[in-house]
Every structure is written in C-alpha cells, then in structure tokens.
Amino acid sequence: MLRHKINPGLELRLLQPEDAAPLFAVVEANRASLREWLPWVDATVKVADAQKFIATALRERTASRAYTSGIWSMGQLVGVIGHNRIDWAARIAFPGWWLVPAARGQGIMTQCCQVVFAHAFTQLQVGRIVVGVATENLRGQAMVKRLGFKQISTLRNAEVLNNRSVDNFIYSLVPGQAAGSKGPGK
C-alpha cells in the first residue's frame, strides 16, 4: 500500500527518506507519552535514527516482509501504522501502530486499522492478524477489542518497557471477525 486516502483529511503514505525529519520531530515532541507503551522511543534520539528506521522499513517492504505507512491527518504526520512482520508460510501479519496524543479520540486509528487490516486480508491474503498488547495498556486493549480481535493467550515477560518487564495479552483477528465486516465468523 503506497498511498491510501481514507477521507479528505486522512491518508496513509508509505514512509519515505524525506519523512525522517518530520517523523523524528513528532516522536521528540511526544516522547513522554509515546514511551509509555513503545519500547523503541528511548533509542530514537536523533534524525539519523528515524532515517535508519525508514531505510529498514523500505528494505523490508522490498523483501515483502513488512511495510510501514505514515498516518497523515490534515497534512500533518500524526502516527505510524503497518505490519512489523509478515509470516508468509503461516499467512500471519503482525501489525503495529501508534498515534500522537493530540490525534487520539477522533477515530483516526480505528479508520487506519480497518484499511490496513482489510488490505492484509484481501490483497496480502493473510489468514490471521496477531497483536500483543501490554496487560496494563487498557486503552490498547479496548482498541483491539473494538476492532474485533479476540484474546487468545497471555505472553509473560513479553517485552521491556521503561526498564521493567511487562506481560502481553495476545489477540487474534481472522477474516470476517473484524468489527463491521460481513462474512464467515460474523
């Protein structure tokens, strides 16, 4: 997905090298909030880190292993969404996403997730989407449940956030299970 206009003020665009400075600026301006649930924030300390992230994301896309899109609302970069990894043998996508606090609560991420997940099921032909959400991240849990995900397990010591080990609830979404979808499982 190179570019997808969701509505007149909201679009997804594949991150490009020229997006490194705006991406770093958004992370820098929202560092305190983002670092609560995102382990990579503390390692993003200069524009070169954003450049490296984008270069890696573009290589992963070329190799058909993942893709990363910027979320642009009213012309401003407000977040990122994409598939961190796609396991083609098992047909499973592992997405990730984040949004700056000022853009939350407006339905932006719900719309973006719906587009990315529909693309995963219809264009990429994955059979399952799997995400992990920290057991203490109530907002993240509410989001995935609203999207139709079902909790399938708990992974102990899943990641380190702010120098502490946290558990994750593991959620799964299959075609037809997504909120608002029609088809098998709905």
Side-chain angles (χ1 to χ4, degrees), residues 93-108:
F94 298 89
W97 59 83
W98 59 267
L99 201 59
V100 298
R104 294 177 188 160
Q106 302 170 39
I108 290 172

Side-chain angles (χ1 to χ4, degrees), residues 49-63 65-68:
D49 297 325
Q51 290 169 330
K52 182 179 176 184
F53 168 75
I54 292 171
T56 300
L58 290 171
R59 277 194 307 278
E60 290 291 305
R61 180 182 178 277
T62 300
R65 290 190 293 257
Y67 74 87
T68 305

Side-chain angles (χ1 to χ4, degrees), residues 1-2 12-20 23 50 53-55 57-58 61 67-72 77 79-81 98:
M1 181 184 315
L2 296 175
L12 300 177
R13 291 194 313 240
L14 192 66
L15 286 174
Q16 298 296 313
E18 60 269 18
D19 297 323
L23 177 60
F53 168 75
I54 292 171
L58 290 171
R61 180 182 178 277
Y67 74 87
T68 305
S69 296
I71 300 170
W72 301 84
L77 180 63
V80 170
I81 189 170
W98 59 267

Side-chain angles (χ1 to χ4, degrees), residues 1 3 28 34 51 63 72 80 87 92 96 103 112 117 137 139 141 149 159 165 167 171 185:
M1 181 184 315
R3 188 174 195 156
E28 186 67 16
L34 294 176
Q51 290 169 330
W72 301 84
V80 170
D87 179 338
I92 301 173
C112 292
F117 300 164
N137 184 349
R139 184 180 184 94
Q141 292 168 40
F149 281 81
E159 60 186 332
S165 181
D167 300 338
Y171 294 89

Side-chain angles (χ1 to χ4, degrees), residues 174-186:
V174 297
Q177 186 180 343
S181 71
K182 294 180 175 46
K186 196 64 177 154

